Amino acid sequence: KIKQETPVSRDRQANAQLPSVGRRIASVVSIPNADWEFVLFESDEPNAFALPGGKIGVNTGILPITQTESGLATVIAHEIAHVTARHGAERMSQDLLVQVGGTALSTLLGNQSPVARDLAMQAYGVGTEVGVMLPYSRTQEYEADRVGLLYMARAGFDPNAAIGFWERFQARNQS
């Protein structure tokens, strides 16, 4: 669906570099039946993402921040770490639990006034986002950072290059 909605980049050099770096990092991880695919999307948003099963998407907007092959390896290793840690599946499970909890709360509040029920549901939504989902997401990001550095090193990239990338990424997000 993403490939249908977002154009794939036509940059030949970047389209050659992305799968080359991606395969190099993927070769040091063990995911049975992974069908690794590395796609460069034409988007100014500096982002990358991972989907279960080994699908990695990188937006062209992050390339000026990666600057080097090692910078790109930082991003790809981080995304591959999300796949190996099964963060996508964990996130879906968390979302499902939050939905079930919301449904249960709504049922329990069935006899309350619509205003009281709406306020309780809004509080539940904010509470689960701030108290459960955000901390869980941060934990996953830190884990992907740490494991990604290990994958970079195993694949022969200098993990120290990640420092420069993350500094540039942070500076970009602060501007």
Side-chain angles (χ1 to χ4, degrees):
K1 181 179 177 185
I2 296 169
K3 284 184 192 177
Q4 293 170 351
E5 295 175 358
T6 308
V8 173
S9 174
R10 296 179 190 265
D11 181 326
R12 287 184 185 193
Q13 182 180 359
N15 273 309
Q17 186 180 47
L18 176 64
S20 173
V21 172
R23 284 190 300 271
R24 190 167 151 190
I25 295 169
S27 73
V28 302
V29 302
S30 177
I31 299 276
N33 303 318
D35 184 17
W36 294 105
E37 181 180 9
F38 304 93
V39 179
L40 183 63
F41 291 100
E42 193 64 47
S43 172
D44 291 337
E45 182 183 355
N47 194 24
F49 58 89
L51 301 174
K55 308 301 182 200
I56 308 292
V58 176
N59 290 350
T60 54
I62 206 165
L63 297 180
I65 303 167
T66 62
Q67 294 183 354
T68 65
E69 186 176 65
S70 292
L72 182 59
T74 301
V75 172
I76 295 171
H78 174 93
E79 297 305 330
I80 286 176
H82 279 305
V83 173
T84 61
R86 300 182 40 84
H87 288 162
E90 289 176 5
R91 183 67 170 199
M92 288 189 294
S93 295
Q94 285 285 71
D95 288 344
L96 182 60
L97 285 173
V98 167
Q99 287 177 352
V100 168
T103 301
L105 179 61
S106 180
T107 301
L108 288 171
L109 297 171
N111 294 333
Q112 301 296 318
S113 72
V115 171
R117 192 171 49 227
D118 285 348
L119 285 173
M121 293 305 294
Q122 287 176 17
Y124 175 79
V126 169
T128 56
E129 184 64 28
V130 172
V132 178
M133 300 306 281
L134 282 176
Y136 193 73
S137 178
R138 285 188 186 119
T139 299
Q140 289 179 336
E141 290 302 320
Y142 292 141
E143 181 180 18
D145 288 343
R146 183 177 50 77
V147 172
L149 290 172
L150 296 173
Y151 292 163
M152 280 181 73
R154 287 183 194 159
F157 293 98
D158 180 5
N160 290 308
I163 296 167
F165 166 78
W166 289 115
E167 288 173 344
R168 291 187 299 275
F169 191 77
Q170 182 179 23
R172 162 61 169 75
N173 286 334
Q174 290 177 347
S175 58

